[in-house]
Amino acid sequence: MTFRPPKGTDDILPPASQAWRRVLGTFDSLAERYGYELAITPIFEATEVFERGVGEGTDVVQKEMYTFEDKGGRSLTLRPEATASMVRAYLGSGSQTPMKLAYSGPMFRYERPQAGRRRQFWQVGVEYLGEDAAGADIEVIELGYRFYQDIGLEGLEVQLNSLGDPADRAGYRSALVDFLTGIADRLSDDSRRRIDTNPLRVFDSKQDRDKLAGAPLPIDYLSDAARAHYEQVTAGLEEAGIPFSENGLLVRGLDYYTRTVFEYVATGLDAAQNAVGGGGRYDGLAEALGGRHVPAVGFSLGVDRILLAMGEGGGEPAPLDAFVVVADEARRAAATGLVRKLRETGLRADIEPGARSVKAQFRAADRRRATAAIVVGDEWDDGEVTLRLLESGDEQRVGNDAEIISTHIGSETS
RNA sequence: GUGGCUGUAGCUCAGUUGGUUAGAGCGCCGGGUUGUGGUCCCGGAGGUCGCGGGUUCGAGUCCCGUCAGCCACCCCA
């Protein structure tokens, strides 16, 4: 028996989990203020949801899926991302009106782990479903940007591009294939294979990026409608005060994107994986799943990577407002009752559950970073407790009432 | 899937050309203070040296294999 979690997965425990609570909480309230409601879908789906949604030609589908057969002979897959699930759920709901959804949860991809890449990783995201207006693109990108601002991630860059509509791709694709065929002898094996299967994916390759100078770019092949949409997005972002840079090489690794694509890059991250979030418009995804036409746009942000970029690996234990010290065991019932009342008033309060020396209890109070130690001893008979402020060492006797104690501590911490 | 680096106490590590009962710092527990922490002093607990095999009188140390971790590639969050 090993106590390590499976390869590429992590136990997130205190004190590191403190940062998780904060980041997840920030996302939750921010999404709610922007009008995105919670969506919870299964972490596994019928395999075809991802095959058809994400795209057969993508690395995610070809080699990174956790696929298994259940006892009923169904092929299921642990979700490698959430967007396909969200669209599937939206179609399943039968909704005829736009829906703004926010989600948070683990995703799974079978890969060799490294810095910023895990087999189970956590994404938060939103999807603006059933809306084709550029205003939705702008709102989504802005929401993501605001999120990074709120949690205090510095050195963030927003990169933007447009891939156009499927109709724009036909002409573009043949131009790209011509170009790539011309330099095929200098490309990596992977890229050469993609010329036939999925030429756009060549832009994903770091190895070949420098050889792509002069390659035709999707942005130069946009239809009038797609171009107008793109220009509305850039204008809207400027108006919203969101700094961004246009990157004609940005194509994203999933097949479902149309028009707008964007990525949030942490410039301060020295790890190779510096994309902390990304997204785009996917007007064709619902139809790829066999549904009706549903224009939509969304993003997903990698919480593990965000914390990595912020250097939030360790940290201090969560602070406590009060630690109740039992001076002698005969007073335990009184002390336990006091902790209960302190907690009811909203204080973070704790106590040792078994008999320990006063010294040990004070040491515990200090280690837990308590603001005050509350001693329950002989003074209890006078209706009082001793309140010691651990940082200054100031000590006084106060009424043994939770409200009174709370007031004394509150004036210290505020 | 491919390549590189690393596995000794809870953590960070030391361990001399292979040589007796494997060490340090930090952390943890207890005592010094009959009701007082964070400083200081004293004491204590805690180790299949990743695992398996081989060489040797003798392996933490050398060789082979294997597993795990880390990093990079492919690609993405």
Side-chain angles (χ1 to χ4, degrees):
Chain A
M1 186 64 205
T2 173
F3 301 117
R4 286 187 173 284
K7 190 183 187 74
T9 67
D10 301 288
D11 298 315
I12 298 159
L13 301 170
S17 55
Q18 277 301 107
W20 279 76
R21 216 182 217 181
R22 189 174 66 80
V23 167
L24 260 25
T26 299
F27 175 77
D28 202 45
S29 67
L30 187 63
E32 190 168 23
R33 273 182 279 149
Y34 271 73
Y36 291 78
E37 296 188 88
L38 180 63
I40 298 171
T41 64
I43 62 166
F44 56 86
E45 296 273 357
T47 300
E48 64 169 348
V49 170
F50 304 117
E51 286 175 344
R52 297 173 60 169
V54 177
E56 303 266 13
T58 62
D59 273 25
V60 168
V61 169
Q62 282 187 343
K63 55 182 196 185
E64 297 173 4
M65 294 209 300
Y66 270 97
T67 297
F68 61 98
E69 196 171 280
D70 74 3
K71 291 176 180 176
R74 288 169 282 257
S75 178
L76 301 174
T77 296
L78 260 33
R79 63 181 183 193
E81 58 111 48
T83 300
S85 295
M86 293 298 146
V87 172
R88 194 227 81 227
Y90 177 75
L91 290 170
S93 77
S95 174
Q96 301 292 309
T97 56
M99 202 179 268
K100 298 171 70 171
L101 302 178
Y103 63 84
S104 172
M107 308 295 158
F108 308 84
R109 290 181 199 173
Y110 190 86
E111 299 182 278
R112 282 282 281 271
Q114 77 189 67
R117 165 177 297 147
R118 319 298 297 159
R119 288 184 171 181
Q120 174 173 331
F121 56 102
W122 198 281
Q123 287 188 337
V124 296
V126 300
E127 312 291 354
Y128 201 142
L129 297 153
E131 180 55 67
D132 60 5
D137 306 45
I138 297 162
E139 179 181 282
V140 164
I141 294 171
E142 176 189 322
L143 171 52
Y145 185 77
R146 270 294 303 279
F147 169 69
Y148 290 113
Q149 299 289 301
D150 283 5
I151 62 173
L153 176 64
E154 289 172 15
L156 182 78
E157 190 173 285
V158 182
Q159 295 192 4
L160 185 71
N161 195 22
S162 176
L163 302 181
D165 292 312
D168 308 337
R169 298 269 186 88
Y172 170 67
R173 182 180 166 125
S174 62
L176 179 60
V177 169
D178 286 349
F179 174 85
L180 293 176
T181 305
I183 61 166
D185 55 322
R186 291 192 284 138
L187 294 176
S188 63
D189 291 347
D190 278 338
S191 290
R192 210 172 305 128
R193 207 171 306 121
R194 291 189 186 114
I195 293 175
D196 297 320
T197 58
N198 203 342
L200 209 54
R201 294 276 74 80
V202 174
F203 286 106
D204 293 331
S205 172
K206 276 181 214 168
Q207 285 184 321
D208 295 324
R209 187 150 300 172
D210 54 329
K211 299 167 193 143
L212 297 177
L217 298 176
I219 194 97
D220 297 321
Y221 285 76
L222 299 184
S223 63
D224 290 346
R227 172 152 298 283
H229 185 94
Y230 180 69
E231 284 168 359
Q232 284 178 56
V233 172
T234 56
L237 290 177
E238 278 164 16
E239 200 175 328
I242 312 276
F244 66 94
S245 60
E246 299 176 77
N247 178 0
L249 296 173
L250 180 68
V251 297
R252 315 272 306 141
L254 312 179
D255 283 350
Y256 53 59
Y257 289 114
T258 56
R259 299 196 172 185
T260 312
V261 291
F262 57 92
E263 208 160 88
Y264 301 102
V265 177
T267 54
L269 203 57
D270 55 355
Q273 321 303 331
N274 63 354
V276 292
R281 178 162 279 286
Y282 46 92
D283 294 341
L285 177 49
E287 286 163 297
L289 292 177
R292 62 197 168 81
H293 177 72
V294 179
V297 58
F299 67 59
S300 61
L301 317 179
V303 176
D304 309 69
R305 268 187 202 177
I306 290 167
L307 262 14
L308 184 68
M310 293 175 69
E312 302 271 1
E316 295 282 293
L320 224 47
D321 296 311
F323 197 93
V324 174
V325 172
V326 184
D328 78 279
E329 278 302 301
R331 311 270 180 195
R332 176 155 297 276
T336 305
L338 181 59
V339 193
R340 186 178 303 117
K341 292 199 182 91
L342 289 171
R343 288 168 173 163
E344 281 167 9
T345 66
L347 289 190
R348 290 166 296 191
D350 217 338
I351 188 173
E352 285 284 337
R356 295 193 72 192
S357 69
V358 170
K359 180 195 186 81
Q361 293 180 72
F362 266 86
R363 197 160 44 230
D366 186 61
R367 218 178 28 244
R368 298 285 297 280
R369 293 174 56 210
T371 301
I374 312 295
V375 183
V376 175
D378 293 340
E379 57 271 59
W380 187 266
D381 293 337
D382 301 326
E384 295 183 326
V385 293
T386 299
L387 187 157
R388 181 182 176 90
L389 296 173
L390 291 179
E391 196 171 329
S392 62
D394 293 344
E395 204 167 283
Q396 61 176 314
R397 285 170 60 144
V398 302
N400 65 358
D401 175 82
E403 293 292 344
I404 294 172
I405 293 169
S406 177
T407 304
H408 277 87
I409 295 175
S411 64
E412 269 318 299
T413 52
S414 58

